[in-house]
Amino acid sequence: MIADKMVSFVKNSSVIRAMFEEGKIMADKYGAENVYDFSLGNPNVPAPKEVKEAILDILDNEDPVLVHGYMSNSGYEDVRVAIAEHINKTFDENVNPNNIIMTVGAAGGMNVIMKTLLNPGDEVLTFTPYFGEYRSYVSNYDGVLVEIAPNTDTFQPNLEDLEKKITKKTKALIVNTPNNPTGVVYSEETIIKLADILRKKEKELGIDIYLISDEPYRELAYDGVKVPYLTKYYENTIVGYSYSKSLSLPGERIGYLLIPDSVADAADMIAAANVANRILGYVNAPSLIQRVVGRCQDAKVDVPFYDRNRETLYNGLIEAGFSCIKPEGAFYLFVKSPVADEKEFCAAAKKHNILIVPGSSFGCAGFVRIAYCVAHETIVNALPGFRELAKEYAL
Ligand code: PLP
């Protein structure tokens, strides 16, 4: 008999993952070119050439015992030096390698930091809509995920509701900008206000509130939009970074946590996160790809590719009659469902071989998420189906 907790995890298992599996079955049945799978944030852009060059060079020229061996739980020292230098150069920061722990992607990093922070019953806030896996990351350590109501007109964070939902039990706030699923980038003005609220509440309630910045989409911003680096605005900020999207390496499982010295109890926090990385069974982040990202700090994924997809899909949907805010980052559109039950709309889309994800998976019913990290032709070829759908719903 499986554990009670797993029964509910299995029951509520990721809709996105289920669709991804279904998409593969549909591709076998109808031919991959006739299925428009917008379900998963799996980048269609290849990793930059520097990645392959680094892999080959490391295998040819580095000591194989080092390349494939165990290491400190926090990762290779020289890789963390390279990352710290990159952060300092890019964001004018002053972090050192000890502040960095290499993780098994952002997902691994989030689990490590939740295990490090949470006592049973501790509350973790997040702005709705949010990446649905946060529910499991928090519940894994018996925390309680508290949803902050959405601003459905802009999808910028609802700061009034944030203030209301902070209690003595609040341990952390997870933010994700550029955002999955809305593509919204939080403005500097918003971040300043948000930091003021957190500081005020910390003082009022006599607690530490950690801001956890989940940043897999940091580099994916369009139209010259700047993504504020949150450690600059709030002392108790911990960054969870990932190379899954920024270098198109999601299957390699690589990222890092940054716990700056400014964070309350930083030394204890860093030591505990290292132990959490080990005892969760990750032990350390995968070795070869760690060495690769250490060398690829300046490599860049093809952002204009995603931008072209964004323009084609956004303009096509708006012309068809759908409504949606124009995203400034990441690679998702969060489109208003033409019917209140967005699952019904997703089912109707499936009849046109279009796979999209219900907003309820992100805590926000009435909307659907369309991931545009796909081949450009997939978007072009799916647009007639979207136009048909618009007609069916008389948009
Ligand atoms: N956080 C957000 C907001 C995401 O969208 C994703 C993946 O899509 C993750 C975390 C997990 O990323 P990783 O592949 O680095 O574990």
Side-chain angles (χ1 to χ4, degrees), residues 41 104-108 110 131 134 137 176 180 214 216-217 242-245 250 253-254 332:
V104 179
M110 294 297 280
F131 181 52
Y134 293 161
Y137 300 164
N176 167 226
N180 174 9
D214 178 28
Y217 304 98
S242 163
Y243 296 93
S244 292
K245 324 284 169 161
R253 313 306 306 132
I254 188 74
Y332 306 104

Side-chain angles (χ1 to χ4, degrees), residues 204-221:
E204 197 180 300
L205 298 168
I207 55 173
D208 292 318
I209 305 174
Y210 296 93
L211 179 61
I212 299 173
S213 180
D214 178 28
E215 305 196 347
Y217 304 98
R218 158 156 295 282
E219 278 75 25
L220 301 184

Side-chain angles (χ1 to χ4, degrees), residues 53-101:
E53 286 165 5
I55 294 172
L56 296 177
D57 192 61
I58 289 165
L59 291 180
D60 279 343
N61 296 314
E62 287 195 14
D63 174 359
V65 174
L66 175 95
V67 172
H68 302 301
Y70 283 130
M71 70 201 76
S72 308
N73 301 132
S74 53
Y76 291 111
E77 169 81 11
D78 61 335
V79 171
R80 291 181 295 120
V81 168
I83 292 173
E85 280 172 0
H86 181 76
I87 293 170
N88 293 342
K89 184 178 74 182
T90 313
F91 304 112
D92 192 23
E93 285 287 296
N94 192 21
V95 304
N96 66 65
N98 288 339
N99 299 117
I100 290 167
I101 298 163

Side-chain angles (χ1 to χ4, degrees), residues 183 185 219-227 302-308 310-311 327-332 372:
V185 176
E219 278 75 25
L220 301 184
Y222 312 110
D223 303 332
V225 164
K226 291 263 169 303
V227 181
D302 188 358
V303 177
F305 173 93
Y306 293 126
D307 195 7
R308 179 167 171 242
R310 175 182 75 129
E311 293 291 347
E328 292 181 317
F331 41 49
Y332 306 104
Y372 58 82

Side-chain angles (χ1 to χ4, degrees), residues 80-386:
R80 291 181 295 120
V81 168
I83 292 173
E85 280 172 0
H86 181 76
I87 293 170
N88 293 342
K89 184 178 74 182
T90 313
F91 304 112
D92 192 23
E93 285 287 296
N94 192 21
V95 304
N96 66 65
N98 288 339
N99 299 117
I100 290 167
I101 298 163
M102 302 306 295
T103 60
V104 179
M110 294 297 280
N111 273 278
V112 165
I113 200 62
M114 291 301 149
K115 185 159 182 73
T116 301
L117 286 176
L118 297 184
N119 288 313
D122 280 350
E123 292 179 353
V124 178
L125 299 164
T126 198
F127 295 107
T128 308
Y130 57 88
F131 181 52
E133 295 291 87
Y134 293 161
R135 297 186 193 110
S136 323
Y137 300 164
V138 172
S139 149
N140 281 345
Y141 311 100
D142 297 323
V144 178
L145 186 73
V146 178
E147 297 179 353
I148 301 165
N151 272 323
T152 50
D153 45 348
T154 62
F155 288 115
Q156 284 287 333
N158 180 341
L159 298 181
E160 274 170 31
D161 200 42
L162 165 68
E163 190 157 359
K164 278 192 218 144
K165 297 238 163 97
I166 297 175
T167 70
K168 266 210 150 284
K169 286 190 179 168
T170 302
K171 198 63 175 281
L173 166 67
I174 304 175
V175 296
N176 167 226
T177 165
N179 184 263
N180 174 9
T182 63
V184 160
V185 176
Y186 297 175
S187 67
E188 184 177 42
E189 195 193 341
T190 302
I191 299 293
I192 291 171
K193 285 189 194 151
L194 185 152
D196 285 346
I197 293 172
L198 296 183
R199 265 186 227 106
K200 186 178 106 184
K201 285 287 181 183
E202 280 190 322
K203 231 188 234 158
E204 197 180 300
L205 298 168
I207 55 173
D208 292 318
I209 305 174
Y210 296 93
L211 179 61
I212 299 173
S213 180
D214 178 28
E215 305 196 347
Y217 304 98
R218 158 156 295 282
E219 278 75 25
L220 301 184
Y222 312 110
D223 303 332
V225 164
K226 291 263 169 303
V227 181
Y229 202 61
L230 300 194
T231 58
K232 293 212 166 315
Y233 300 88
Y234 184 65
E235 308 69 34
N236 270 343
T237 300
I238 294 166
V239 176
Y241 186 81
S242 163
Y243 296 93
S244 292
K245 324 284 169 161
S246 65
L247 291 182
S248 284
L249 295 172
E252 299 292 349
R253 313 306 306 132
I254 188 74
Y256 64 80
L257 278 173
L258 165 67
I259 307 178
D261 290 334
S262 61
V263 161
D265 304 318
D268 286 351
M269 195 77 69
I270 292 167
N274 269 306
V275 173
N277 210 16
R278 189 182 81 232
I279 67 179
L280 283 172
Y282 304 127
V283 182
N284 54 251
S287 58
L288 173 60
I289 205 69
Q290 250 196 76
R291 305 213 55 70
V292 171
V293 298
R295 290 180 179 214
C296 292
Q297 287 300 300
D298 293 320
K300 288 193 173 41
V301 86
D302 188 358
V303 177
F305 173 93
Y306 293 126
D307 195 7
R308 179 167 171 242
N309 279 1
R310 175 182 75 129
E311 293 291 347
T312 306
L313 184 60
Y314 174 79
N315 292 333
L317 292 180
I318 295 294
E319 277 160 27
F322 289 98
S323 57
C324 165
I325 54 150
K326 189 167 188 186
E328 292 181 317
F331 41 49
Y332 306 104
L333 287 189
F334 205 53
V335 178
K336 193 159 173 34
S337 165
V339 275
D341 178 3
E342 85 282 4
K343 287 186 185 146
E344 181 197 313
F345 177 57
C346 293
K350 210 162 100 186
K351 293 194 183 132
H352 296 268
N353 284 359
I354 294 173
L355 298 179
I356 52 181
V357 184
S360 42
S361 299
F362 308 92
C364 191
F367 290 81
V368 294
R369 188 192 76 172
I370 308 181
Y372 58 82
C373 48
V374 296
H376 190 70
E377 308 80 70
T378 303
I379 294 174
V380 173
N381 296 338
L383 281 175
F386 278 113

